[in-house]
Amino acid sequence: MRYTCSVAFLLSYLTCMIVAAEKTPKYEYHGMRKFLTRPDIEVPTWKVSVYDEAKVAPGHWFVAPYEVNGNKKPGGSWIGPHIFDSTGELVWSGSHMFKRINVMDFGVMDVGGEDLLSLSYAVEGRGYILDKQYKVKQTVVEGMTGKTYNMHDFHTVENGSHFLYLQRNITHASAQLAKQDLGYDGECSVTFPGFEERDVKTGEVLFKWDATGKIPLSDSTLTHGPVENRCTGGAWDYLHSNAIDKLPDGHYLLSTRHSDTIYKISADDGSILWRLHGLGGDRSDFAMGDLKFSRQHDVRFREHNVTHLIISFLDNATGADPQPATHEWSRGLLIAVSERDMTAAVIASYDHPQHGKSYRRGSYQPLPNGNVFMGWSEQALHSEHTPDGKIVMEAVLTEHKLGTYRSFKFPFTADPQYPPDIYANASTFASITQTSVYASWNGATEVASWRLSKTDKKGEKSLPLTIMPRSGFETLITYDGYAKYVVVEALDINGRSLHTSDVAKTVASKNLDPDAVAEEQQWLHPESSSASAGSSLRGFGVFTGGLFCGVALLWGALFWKRRRERRRPRYERVAGEEEDETKMDELSHR
Ligand SMILES: *[C@@H]1O[C@H](CO)[C@@H](O)[C@H](O)[C@H]1NC(C)=O
Ligand SMILES: *[C@@H]1O[C@H](CO)[C@@H](O)[C@H](O)[C@H]1NC(C)=O
Ligand SMILES: *[C@@H]1O[C@H](CO)[C@@H](O)[C@H](O)[C@H]1NC(C)=O
Ligand SMILES: *[C@@H]1O[C@H](CO)[C@@H](O)[C@H](O)[C@H]1NC(C)=O
Ligand SMILES: *[C@@H]1O[C@H](CO)[C@@H](O)[C@H](O)[C@H]1NC(C)=O
């Protein structure tokens, strides 16, 4: 009987292994890291090739990795908003909050006077604001992705009191418009960009704009192939807007990638006040000198004086189409635009660290100390430059298949209200008994060290064992001895307690020294340590053990019988999987 069961279990185990192997995706991701305290989190690691600690600005990295292929369906747990410290160590994974689907434009912004987390979530057609406890505070804009919602830009203006974001309208340009702009006979299927400004508190739409009839179809530089193909191909993305900002005079700055143009749009009547044209073509209203750019991203107004507007952006310098390149590699540009003299000139330029292109878009962010933080998108490459262009930080994700839309750096302090996570195990090796305790706290920014204490099942007794400085997302604390129940307490830089974990039961290895176990039992239950109590306890243990064994064998036999009846075994569930899922559900709020 016993052998039959063992064989049955062995067979089912092997079958499970085969089924699991078949389900493994073909591509293997490299440089991913997992944690004992958070089995639901897997995070891509960074290769940091330049890091000058004295020169970089303080702050964390805000990156939202996604895979090359597809972002509509849930992917790996590394997809979504992530915060890393300035050396690339994980601080927060928000993957679970967004169904492991790509988010864009993740960073910190002023919302109603508070610096909060923000991101654009395309699958829901919404912008999200998260508070310092990583709870959703507000969602803004409900639109259909690809139809009315444009995920590229979502931010606040007017000192955090207004949201400004892009929209789009897939429609038909009238035959009259198509004839007039393109000389094309018939309606033309086009995506018209638009944008909206909304009050943060009331949600009221304060301004709404649509390019229809405002920006001619002939402004597009995405024009390869015959015009019929463009107009009948379904929603010709003739402008592809990717950034919107507001100028101090109340008018708007719109960037459209497929016309290589930055437009100033009137807040009075929606008309085009000027064009700053990347290719320096006939339509530029400015004398451009030697300034040329194309397929630009993240266009932002930065500052102004009486004569000039200062604008920053990432110049991709070419597109995927056959249009000639305007520069050999992508770069960050800071330009001065004079509306009086109608001139535009480069003030500063920051080169792609490898003189490459930023295939998956990118970003330009001035930092408070004068440095510039550039996101180059592909493999999430990002770099920090001093004002004179010297690279003081350069980092890239180890995994080639991952990228990010934009990358930012912000000082950020969080205040999570859920408890830290803990995992503990113990074993005896060469007659030395050790307990390893692992502690992490997803999203916490203020932990300086961890206090480990042993306790009882209910957490009523407590004996502090040691204090260990935090050493990354997950800190290992070792204790020379066996502790059956443990808790960790997060301490800040002043030793003040921030939060305590739940009680964890230590996973004991089979070889654990019985004396250490007895000693711990003595600490836990000093009153019930008499021999009789011990023997009755042992008696009870033998009884339960026997009962358990019997039930297990019975169950095994029934299991085997059922499988045989069904003839074709279908083993889909690996033992323990259910437990893992429950654990993940439990963790999903953190
Ligand atoms: C925003 O804040 C700046 C600096 O505090 C102030 O000068 C400006 O008037 C404010 N603008 C608005 C629209 O409140
Ligand atoms: C899209 O554009 C068409 C044509 O200008 C207009 O009639 C329609 O209202 C617009 N739709 C939206 C959602 O703005
Ligand atoms: C305004 O800024 C531009 C660009 O930095 C500079 O060339 C110009 O001299 C400044 N004008 C004034 C009046 O400060
Ligand atoms: C940037 O340039 C590269 C190289 O030409 C191109 O493949 C890519 O599509 C461009 N990116 C954008 C967003 O236009
Ligand atoms: C606990 O588990 C980890 C991971 O398997 C292992 O490296 C470590 O040695 C274990 N610690 C003890 C004390 O058994």
Side-chain angles (χ1 to χ4, degrees), residues 305-308 310 336 347:
N305 58 27
V306 280
T307 53
H308 288 77
I310 311 297
I347 301 176

Side-chain angles (χ1 to χ4, degrees), residues 257 295 297 316 318-320 357-359 361:
R257 198 175 94 198
R295 304 305 189 237
H297 305 282
N316 193 55
T318 48
K357 301 276 171 33
S358 62
Y359 293 88
R361 304 149 189 118

Side-chain angles (χ1 to χ4, degrees), residues 41 71 292 308 325 417 420:
I41 291 178
N71 61 344
K292 276 196 164 81
H308 288 77
Q417 293 301 302

Side-chain angles (χ1 to χ4, degrees), residues 146-147 149-152 166-171 182 188-194 211 215-217 219-224 227 229-242 255-260 263 295 321 361:
K147 192 91 179 139
Y149 184 76
N150 180 335
M151 78 272 237
H152 288 87
L166 291 165
Q167 292 283 80
R168 59 161 62 112
N169 184 0
I170 295 179
T171 184
L182 303 171
C188 191
S189 169
V190 174
T191 300
F192 285 105
I215 301 183
L217 302 173
D219 263 24
S220 182
T221 55
L222 190 74
T223 56
H224 56 290
V227 66
N229 292 5
R230 277 174 259 151
C231 283
T232 58
W236 175 33
D237 194 10
Y238 86 114
L239 289 176
H240 192 97
S241 58
N242 57 13
S255 160
T256 71
R257 198 175 94 198
H258 290 168
S259 70
D260 309 301
Y263 298 90
R295 304 305 189 237
D321 51 294
R361 304 149 189 118

